[in-house]
Amino acid sequence: MENAPTTLTTEGVIENIIYFNPENGYCVFSMADDESENDRELVCVGYLPDAHEGESIKVTGNIINHPTYGRQLSVSSYTKTLPKTERGMEKYLGSGLIKGIGAGLSKRIVKKFGDKTFDVIEENPLKLAEVRGITKEKAMAIGAVFHEQAELRRVVVYFDKYGISPVYAIKIFNRFGERTIETVEQNPYRLADEIQGIGFKTADMIAFKMGTAENSPNRIKAGIRYVLNLAAQNGHTHLPLESLIRNTGTILNVDEDMIRDMTAQLAAEQMVYCEKKDDMVRVYLNIYYYAENYTARKLLELNKTAQSVPFDFKEDMAYLENTYGIKLAYEQKTAVKEAMEQGVVVITGGPGTGKTTTINAIIKLLETEKYEIVLAAPTGRAAKRMSEATGLEGQTIHRLLGTSYIAENNSRQIFEKDEDNPIEADVLIIDECSMIDILLMYNLLKAVPHGTKVIIVGDKDQLPSVGAGSVLKDIIGSGCIKSVVLSEVFRQAAESDIVLNAHKINRGEYPDLTKKSSDFFFIKRSDINDVVNEIVGLNKTRLPKYLGCDAIKDIQVLTPMKKSPLGIGNLNVVLQEAFNPKSPYKNEREFRNTVFREGDKVMQVRNDYNLIWNVIENSIEKDSGTGVFNGDEGIINKIDPVGEYVEVVFDDNKYVKYDFSQLDELELGYAVTIHKSQGSEYKAVIIPAFNGPALLLSRNLLYTAVTRAKELCVIVGNADIIKKMIDNNNEVNRYSTLIDRLKELNEYI
């Protein structure tokens, strides 16, 4: 049996701060006894958000022996104490803790006031003006800093009793300042609305401990907004009032009439938007209502204001064929014609139907007229494919717009590009538009000036966007924007069983699973453990050998599920053990039951507009910027246990540092959900087919997974499940009103 850790409580002065992370307050420092004249020092590590050299402190923690750094005290709790001796006071004030007080001035202050120095600063700071070199303004500033530090210490201690870590206590203090405790006690649910990482359930727990009544108006209002946010996470831009009331009542366990009244009050306070349509009331979070209205209006205005490009059908088609060798089928020619003539056009089609060739033809004709063309896509991988296919620079929509300011809770971005600072382009071509949610489309269109031609490209049969809305399908379904469907599969693409089977699946037909194909095959396994073992073997050895590729970078396991033995949770653990097992030569960090290890494949799982990235090539920084986005994939390059960060390398040598407290933004990426794979392509994909929830066994989910494969698609499992998925064409309807907005406004614009 291992010896129990040694617990130590001690007081002293912070002599030297070895490392400090301002984002989360993690600190490594040495401490000496305040009364001692010798050099005895103890190295301490822990979360001390307001630590400063020269401060007196009382700490409690466990003595640990770090393999590299030796004996340390891992601090579990601490309190700041003011030095009791003149020597300690002088050192505290001269530490640089208070701007403008150096060693000389510190000595004069303590000489003047002796052991009453801190009483003077806290209770009567104007008396400091009696010391040579201190004005009345400076005296008051010293008192203010002294007071502010005391308030932060009080806030950290206050939230500790609710289980809120110093990391979040700092975020809360930075948001509310000196009124933090007062603000939270008045309405603890503001934490859920305004602090990233603190959700409704945490705020509700704090409120409960404070004695907030179950039927408190603040609680009910927060619950309503929580349910609307949950709906948005599931793709809905609004909820019918009766659904909202029912769902909120289930979560809060309060009377439905009170929920109805509080919904009306939120609408009166302009916190939500209620719209009556026929016999139904729709309830929106404001941003989604405004986004749908603006998107509809702007699309229709652009369709009217963009000028037609000079175009002669016969001559231009001959020019494309004779000059560039581009020969188009009838549907493609129609798409080119509409792109030239319309202000806004949608070009949609499945794999192998010639979308890329069509876009290249459009670009060549536009270039002859000297039009300035901008290419964009929702993800980095999709943008990179655009660049490779067209020869022009493609960029992500986020990078095109440029992030200029982030809301306090990091949940809303404001872009540099907008109506006052628009994108400079004659033509904007946007690819993979099935992935674009209503908020991203809203922000993009805000930056598109009138007169700009917009070409929207995507596959309408792919899964809808992860975010709220049904943008591409609503635009097509409205009939208000010209749409061209490419359906003919071309000869070269038709030689691919990936392409043929994808189209079969989309039509509701079963692929031939017995065919000996070079790029699409099925492996029958009836036991779930056999499926898991087969996936590991294929991923680690058989497919890399067959394709001559890198298993980590080029092969991706795609699964419909998060849970179950074939969900991403278990598959990532199994694949991590196969590819990157525990090693004394690799640092690792456990976070919420996930072990992250150097060398692991990871995926970003939410948009973070604040994260800084640096492009590094040959140890030289080539570029930098901010923003890492949902679905970005990378490799853990380094885990620093002392600096408390994880360094990830994403595509294009983008290096990003994540503080340990930010690891909820990452998941292991050996296996990812099919939803998360949208916009990406892989040399090979492996798809488990086994029984699960009907909602996750659908045709468009299987279709999306198969179309992620460029060279090889392998399905492992039960053939009957594949048939079940193909038969299930019942898509989950999203509450979205963009289609209605387009139809209504089209009569007036």
Side-chain angles (χ1 to χ4, degrees), residues 609-628:
Y609 310 100
N610 284 330
L611 275 176
I612 298 170
W613 51 261
N614 298 280
V615 175
I616 299 175
E617 296 176 4
N618 300 320
S619 301
I620 299 173
E621 183 178 315
K622 298 288 188 179
D623 195 6
S624 64
T626 59
V628 182

Side-chain angles (χ1 to χ4, degrees), residues 284-309:
Y284 301 76
L285 291 170
N286 288 340
I287 185 61
Y288 293 105
Y289 177 78
Y290 297 137
E292 285 193 332
N293 273 280
Y294 184 93
T295 297
R297 179 176 296 278
K298 189 64 175 285
L299 283 169
L300 294 170
E301 289 173 351
L302 288 168
N303 200 34
K304 292 286 196 297
T305 59
Q307 299 297 312
S308 295
V309 178

Side-chain angles (χ1 to χ4, degrees), residues 175-389:
R175 175 68 184 91
F176 300 121
E178 291 189 0
R179 293 176 56 83
T180 293
I181 294 175
E182 179 185 347
T183 300
V184 172
E185 288 184 342
Q186 286 177 351
N187 182 8
Y189 296 98
R190 287 188 65 179
L191 295 174
D193 284 337
E194 300 181 46
I195 307 298
Q196 176 72 22
I198 296 185
F200 171 80
K201 291 182 179 179
T202 300
D204 201 34
M205 176 272 294
I206 293 172
F208 175 77
K209 289 184 177 180
M210 287 179 177
T212 302
E214 193 174 59
N215 61 355
S216 159
N218 283 337
R219 181 173 187 261
I220 297 173
K221 289 179 185 178
I224 291 166
R225 289 174 57 80
Y226 171 63
V227 170
L228 288 172
N229 272 305
L230 281 180
Q233 291 171 26
N234 289 318
H236 307 297
T237 60
H238 69 278
L239 282 178
L241 176 60
E242 297 308 315
S243 296
L244 173 64
I245 290 171
R246 186 170 56 252
N247 295 345
T248 307
T250 300
I251 290 170
L252 299 185
N253 192 32
V254 297
D255 184 71
E256 290 190 353
D257 286 339
M258 294 190 70
I259 299 171
R260 192 182 302 275
D261 291 344
M262 289 302 104
T263 302
Q265 191 167 323
L266 281 170
E269 295 168 355
Q270 299 185 340
M271 298 294 287
V272 301
Y273 190 91
C274 293
E275 176 188 52
K276 189 169 184 180
K277 189 71 175 177
D278 301 324
D279 294 327
M280 183 178 73
V281 176
R282 302 163 173 166
V283 186
Y284 301 76
L285 291 170
N286 288 340
I287 185 61
Y288 293 105
Y289 177 78
Y290 297 137
E292 285 193 332
N293 273 280
Y294 184 93
T295 297
R297 179 176 296 278
K298 189 64 175 285
L299 283 169
L300 294 170
E301 289 173 351
L302 288 168
N303 200 34
K304 292 286 196 297
T305 59
Q307 299 297 312
S308 295
V309 178
F311 178 72
D312 184 287
F313 196 102
K314 187 175 181 180
E315 286 186 11
D316 284 334
M317 291 304 148
Y319 168 77
L320 288 170
E321 185 170 355
N322 295 332
T323 306
Y324 301 104
I326 299 176
K327 190 172 183 179
L328 303 177
Y330 175 76
E331 291 173 343
Q332 292 175 300
K333 291 177 181 178
T334 302
V336 173
K337 174 179 178 294
E338 297 296 348
M340 296 297 113
E341 295 177 350
Q342 303 292 329
V344 181
V345 67
V346 177
I347 301 172
T348 182
T353 56
K355 293 193 297 294
T356 299
T357 302
T358 304
I359 294 304
N360 271 326
I362 292 168
I363 288 171
K364 297 304 180 188
L365 291 179
L366 292 170
E367 286 178 333
T368 63
E369 299 294 332
K370 308 300 182 185
Y371 279 79
E372 185 173 352
I373 305 164
V374 170
L375 308 181
T379 67
R381 290 196 170 199
K384 189 174 182 179
R385 288 204 312 276
M386 288 188 85
S387 299
E388 293 168 350

Side-chain angles (χ1 to χ4, degrees), residues 696-717:
L696 298 177
L697 300 178
S698 66
R699 183 187 300 176
N700 69 339
L701 207 67
L702 180 61
Y703 172 74
T704 299
V706 170
T707 55
R708 299 307 91 202
K710 290 195 294 183
E711 296 183 19
L712 181 64
C713 177
V714 184
I715 304 178
V716 184

